[in-house]
Amino acid sequence: TLDGGRIGIAAQALGIAQGAYEAALNYSKERIQFNAPICQNQGVSFKLADMATRLRAARFLVYSAAELKQEHQEYGMESAMAKMYASDAAVSITNDALQIFGGTGYLKGMDVERFYRDAKITTIYEGTNEIQRVVIASHITDKMSVAKHGGAPKQNVAITGARKKQIFKDGTPEEQVAALVQALKDDGYDFTVGIPLDTPISDAERVVSAGKGIGEKANMKLIEDLARQAGAAVGSSRPVAETLQYVPIDRYVGMSGQKFNGNLYIACGISGAVQHLKGIRNATTIVAININAGAPIFKNCDYGIVGDVKVILPLLAKALNNGQPKKPAPPMVKMKRPLILKDMPEGRYVCKGCGYEYNPDLGDPDADVKPGTKFQDLPEDWVCPLCNSAKTEFVPVK
């Protein structure tokens, strides 16, 4: 929320600075001193040059951060940079603008006087600029410590934790679907029961989710048909709900949306943006169906089929159809994820309940566990951040 809000504050600061600059520029062309406009005075013209340069730099920082957010990429550091620089620039530019106006600009009711007052608050709210520097420094020093000082390497574990990553490639689409259904049944999923399609995401035991890869809105019927046969609720990625508006905004799953904590999550045409993956990392089983074999979702799933959703989804719905109406599902019982250690760095500790890996280089800030704290030194009452399993439920990776 703060990362996104900082782009808005940066844009506000940019607007204030633009208004102050334009007012000062126009005034400097009209104000005559010593038989010439004051803009011809070198001291004033240099101020205007600096103001225009800071304004342009701030604008590009704001637009860059906004573009990253719009594309659903990581933008925390860039939004902090934009907010810090644009607000500092706004204070500097409005200060110079008032100086150009002289005593006139200080009068209550003058536009430049209000610009001067309004600029200051942009350095304070949505995180002071001192905090922005903390945010920026935390990003760049973490990277520097790894690249230059032999710090801990970035863990080679999927965002959603250790997963089976079993991609069904052999045979026809029908055979691939049959293998997927059999694997899900072997894992204990009962497809004779179901829940309403509009069950809240956070309460749903199963969800079938649509991504931009499903194409036109008419293909949402494929999602709904599959959800009925899988006994699941309907969800979506953020662009499908927010940009395409195929489903209500409360149906989108992701870090900034609804978080899925149930058992089975079927991602259809979802490429696997970071913010989406963070919203489903508590899922017991993730199934990916996407035509792009290189999509990140396949590195974060248990089972996957590389194929056209318009072909795979009807086949999967048919394979899950037992010819009878779904019986109401009993209250959800959270299924345990299988413990997969092959992707885990040696010496780390992993939760048997959900596969969460405790990383001593990161600690657990939400539980006031500082970075650098070894697993053995964790408080005895510390629990897994994802599933609340006790410390005794963690096993070492050998």
Side-chain angles (χ1 to χ4, degrees):
T1 301
L2 288 171
D3 286 345
R6 284 164 183 162
I7 299 175
I9 302 305
Q12 182 186 38
L14 180 63
I16 294 169
Q18 180 74 41
Y21 167 73
E22 291 176 358
L25 178 62
N26 292 334
Y27 180 79
S28 71
K29 292 178 179 178
E30 298 169 357
R31 176 74 167 125
I32 306 297
Q33 282 284 64
F34 308 109
N35 300 318
I38 62 173
C39 64
Q40 295 181 12
N41 181 293
Q42 193 176 66
V44 174
S45 66
F46 279 13
K47 274 186 170 58
L48 292 168
D50 288 344
M51 292 162 73
T53 302
R54 291 192 191 98
L55 197 60
R56 186 171 176 82
R59 175 167 285 106
F60 282 127
L61 278 171
V62 174
Y63 286 6
S64 172
E67 183 179 31
L68 288 172
K69 182 178 187 296
Q70 185 170 316
E71 295 300 320
H72 306 294
Q73 298 182 34
E74 292 290 338
Y75 63 93
M77 180 180 73
E78 289 78 7
S79 67
M81 286 179 170
K83 194 269 186 188
M84 178 190 74
Y85 187 87
S87 59
D88 280 347
V91 170
S92 174
I93 289 169
T94 55
N95 182 67
D96 284 347
L98 195 147
Q99 195 72 15
I100 290 171
F101 269 84
T104 305
Y106 198 71
L107 295 176
K108 192 78 170 177
M110 294 292 291
D111 285 343
V112 72
E113 182 268 342
R114 180 179 176 180
F115 289 142
Y116 191 70
R117 284 186 289 113
D118 287 348
K120 183 57 187 173
I121 189 61
T122 64
T123 69
I124 298 172
Y125 56 16
E126 213 73 8
T128 64
N129 281 6
E130 288 79 7
I131 288 296
Q132 306 314 312
R133 288 170 170 84
V134 170
V135 172
I136 297 165
S138 69
H139 280 274
I140 60 178
T141 54
D142 282 349
K143 293 178 180 177
M144 183 179 69
S145 65
V146 172
K148 297 183 179 180
H149 301 293
K154 185 177 181 181
Q155 61 186 58
N156 186 31
V157 181
I159 293 171
T160 57
R163 295 285 171 177
K164 294 180 180 179
K165 302 177 189 174
Q166 184 176 350
I167 310 302
F168 299 102
K169 301 178 180 178
D170 298 332
T172 64
E174 289 84 355
E175 292 170 332
Q176 294 169 2
V177 166
L180 169 61
V181 171
Q182 188 58 53
L184 292 173
K185 289 182 177 179
D186 290 345
D187 285 347
Y189 288 102
D190 177 8
F191 295 107
T192 66
V193 300
I195 59 176
L197 299 186
D198 60 353
T199 301
I201 300 296
S202 57
D203 298 333
E205 193 239 343
R206 306 172 190 175
V207 165
V208 174
S209 226
K212 290 174 69 176
I214 66 165
E216 58 189 20
K217 189 174 183 178
N219 293 331
M220 281 300 298
K221 186 177 185 304
L222 302 177
I223 298 293
E224 294 169 0
D225 290 345
L226 176 56
R228 288 190 185 92
Q229 299 307 325
V234 170
S236 81
S237 64
R238 181 171 182 167
V240 170
E242 188 176 69
T243 306
L244 299 179
Q245 299 182 350
Y246 288 177
V247 297
I249 198 70
D250 63 357
R251 304 308 299 176
Y252 94 74
V253 184
M255 180 175 61
S256 57
Q258 305 300 311
K259 292 181 176 60
F260 177 69
N261 297 306
N263 289 325
L264 179 60
Y265 189 83
I266 304 178
C268 308
I270 294 175
S271 62
V274 171
Q275 78 93 18
H276 188 84
L277 295 174
K278 288 185 177 180
I280 64 173
R281 61 185 174 187
N282 291 348
T284 303
T285 305
I286 298 175
V287 175
I289 301 169
N290 197 296
I291 200 168
N292 178 12
I297 189 71
F298 287 118
K299 296 179 181 178
N300 289 273
C301 72
D302 295 283
Y303 304 115
I305 295 178
V306 179
D308 189 338
V309 292
K310 295 191 288 294
V311 174
I312 302 299
L313 298 195
L315 293 174
L316 184 54
K318 182 179 179 181
L320 296 176
N321 187 353
N322 61 352
Q324 300 290 332
K326 303 295 180 183
K327 295 177 289 186
M332 185 183 78
V333 175
K334 181 67 174 176
M335 300 165 63
K336 285 192 174 183
R337 285 167 51 182
L339 190 59
I340 302 169
L341 302 177
K342 63 181 180 180
D343 290 334
M344 297 293 181
E346 187 175 342
R348 297 283 176 82
Y349 283 77
V350 181
C351 176
K352 292 191 294 185
C354 67
Y356 168 80
E357 175 204 355
Y358 174 72
N359 186 342
D361 298 318
L362 303 178
D364 183 6
D366 291 339
D368 293 327
V369 175
K370 296 180 179 179
T373 303
K374 295 180 180 179
F375 183 82
Q376 296 86 340
D377 297 332
L378 289 171
E380 291 305 314
D381 59 352
W382 180 82
V383 296
C384 173
L386 295 187
C387 68
N388 293 322
S389 293
K391 181 181 174 182
T392 53
E393 293 298 307
F394 278 68
V395 294
V397 180
K398 299 180 180 179

